Amino acid sequence: MMKISKIEYYLPQQVLTNEDLEKQFPEWSSERIQEKVGISQRHISSDSETVLDMAVQSSEKIFENYDRNKVDFILFCTQSPEYFLPTTACILQDRLGLRKNIGAIDFNLGCSGFVYGLAFAKGLIAAGIAKSILLVTSETYTKHIHPDDKGNRSIFGDASASAIIEKAEGNDYQFCLGTDGSGAENLMVKKGAFKKDFELNPEHEFGPENIYMNGPEIFNFTIENIPGLVKETLEVNSMTMDDIDHFVFHQANSFMLNYLRKKTKIPVEKFYIDMEKTGNTVSATIPIALKNMMDKGMLKEGDKVLMAGFGVGYSWGATIMEI
């Protein structure tokens, strides 16, 4: 078994409020945005601020109370890497002053990234490759959003979260992972890598360098797949809904989460929603939620938490961890 020993996160200083959006889009009131997505503000990285800069900030918070020399592997999840090459995780090792005899690798995943990172960490620990893993999820989706895209600007925020994953005694919980690349174009930035002969979706209002999200299709994908993911995760771990103390899903938007909660019949008191002050921070939403729950005293030793991430790819994953 493994455990999450520590979590810290960093939010950029610049804040975009619903009132700010209302000034640019008068047809959208701040109250309507709050009601629609459950978000009142989101943090926006500055023009010169990157996922690496934010990762340093969240990781240094970890090392205020954890010996950085214990870290023997870095897993860095981002879809906004510092460069095509080299790997951002390698630069992070140097920026943090970590040992040189450690592993470091990037992986490109979005909303399911934290759960996938935990799965990778489990494999590294089980294989005896690593004992203390720094798992970082850092994202700057807002840099992809067109200034006139009021829908995506109301949802996404930037953030970085860092966690220490270590071996622990206890139950060995299993993962359920899934992929359906047929939905790739429903959340995509078409320009920026080596694909040159792209065509824009007819409904794409902005340029190929801007993020495009087909909200209804993303919603349908989520509703069709995630209830089954929860059921499968409970079954492979020989558990029932009653055995779980908390359910923490990727914080996409409050409407989707409440719909999922009702569809999966999760008791409201077990279901945590926390995105009002941060927005959808992609791969960082689950660790941010967990950290906030810890700080509020909501998690106690022995609690079992079912985490589920889902979105861009399409990609999804879930597991159970014991606090």
Side-chain angles (χ1 to χ4, degrees):
M1 180 186 170
M2 62 183 181
K3 65 178 180 179
I4 303 174
S5 298
K6 288 187 176 295
I7 301 177
E8 295 288 352
Y9 64 84
Y10 166 79
L11 301 171
Q13 291 185 354
Q14 181 181 347
V15 174
L16 178 68
T17 67
N18 290 352
E19 290 72 23
D20 295 329
L21 289 170
E22 184 179 3
K23 290 176 184 177
Q24 183 176 352
F25 308 105
E27 69 277 14
W28 270 30
S29 69
S30 57
E31 293 80 10
R32 181 187 174 192
I33 299 171
Q34 174 78 43
E35 181 181 355
K36 185 178 178 66
V37 295
I39 300 166
S40 64
Q41 66 175 45
R42 61 292 291 155
H43 292 253
I44 311 297
S45 56
S46 68
D47 290 344
S48 61
E49 193 171 32
T50 68
V51 293
L52 176 62
D53 298 324
M54 298 196 306
V56 170
Q57 294 281 351
S58 59
S59 298
E60 286 293 357
K61 288 184 180 181
I62 290 274
F63 298 133
E64 290 176 5
N65 297 290
Y66 187 86
D67 182 3
R68 71 185 68 218
N69 291 315
K70 293 175 66 176
V71 172
D72 50 14
F73 211 103
I74 300 172
L75 290 171
F76 196 117
C77 176
T78 186
Q79 295 190 309
S80 309
E82 198 80 352
Y83 307 102
F84 276 138
L85 56 95
T87 301
T88 308
C90 292
I91 309 173
L92 182 62
Q93 172 274 329
D94 181 63
R95 289 274 294 270
L96 294 175
L98 301 185
R99 292 164 25 214
K100 294 181 180 179
N101 59 333
I102 69 173
I105 192 170
D106 289 359
F107 63 101
N108 180 326
L109 274 178
C111 312
S112 63
F114 185 71
V115 174
Y116 268 77
L118 292 175
F120 298 153
K122 178 181 178 179
L124 291 167
I125 290 171
I129 295 171
K131 296 179 180 178
S132 174
I133 297 164
L134 176 64
L135 171 57
V136 180
T137 54
S138 189
E139 205 58 77
T140 55
Y141 260 37
T142 66
K143 294 187 188 300
H144 295 300
I145 301 175
H146 192 280
D148 293 332
D149 186 349
K150 62 184 179 182
N152 283 326
R153 287 187 68 197
S154 71
I155 294 173
F156 291 106
D158 298 330
S160 175
S162 297
I164 295 292
I165 315 300
E166 296 179 304
K167 185 176 181 179
E169 300 299 323
N171 294 321
D172 184 20
Y173 296 106
Q174 304 303 308
F175 286 76
C176 292
L177 306 175
T179 306
D180 180 5
S182 68
E185 289 200 354
N186 290 320
L187 183 47
M188 176 179 278
V189 175
K190 287 209 165 184
K191 183 179 180 181
F194 292 104
K195 176 72 171 176
K196 303 301 182 184
D197 55 340
F198 52 81
E199 293 182 4
L200 291 181
N201 307 69
E203 63 271 31
H204 200 310
E205 299 179 44
F206 309 112
E209 71 279 3
N210 300 126
I211 195 167
Y212 165 75
M213 181 166 68
N214 186 328
E217 285 301 319
I218 295 293
F219 182 84
N220 290 338
F221 144 72
T222 303
I223 299 308
E224 289 172 5
N225 288 280
I226 305 313
L229 173 66
V230 173
K231 180 181 179 182
E232 181 186 4
T233 303
L234 291 171
E235 288 177 350
V236 299
N237 286 287
S238 301
M239 300 176 76
T240 68
M241 199 85 75
D242 293 337
D243 296 318
I244 304 299
D245 298 291
H246 305 279
F247 293 81
V248 180
F249 287 10
H250 162 57
Q251 306 289 294
N253 64 72
S254 61
F255 177 81
M256 179 184 289
L257 288 176
N258 281 313
Y259 194 101
L260 275 176
R261 182 189 65 77
K262 294 172 185 177
K263 189 172 179 65
T264 51
K265 300 180 180 178
I266 298 172
V268 64
E269 65 273 12
K270 289 187 175 186
F271 195 78
Y272 189 66
I273 298 179
D274 184 6
M275 72 183 78
E276 182 183 357
K277 301 297 185 181
T278 57
N280 180 340
T281 56
V282 198
S283 58
T285 66
I286 293 176
I288 288 175
L290 291 173
K291 171 61 175 173
N292 289 341
M293 292 176 76
M294 292 173 182
D295 290 347
K296 294 174 183 177
M298 297 176 63
L299 297 178
K300 63 181 184 295
E301 187 174 352
D303 277 359
K304 298 175 182 63
V305 181
L306 190 152
M307 294 170 283
F310 42 85
V312 59
Y314 296 137
S315 173
W316 61 94
T319 193
I320 298 165
M321 291 202 75
E322 191 171 313
I323 302 302

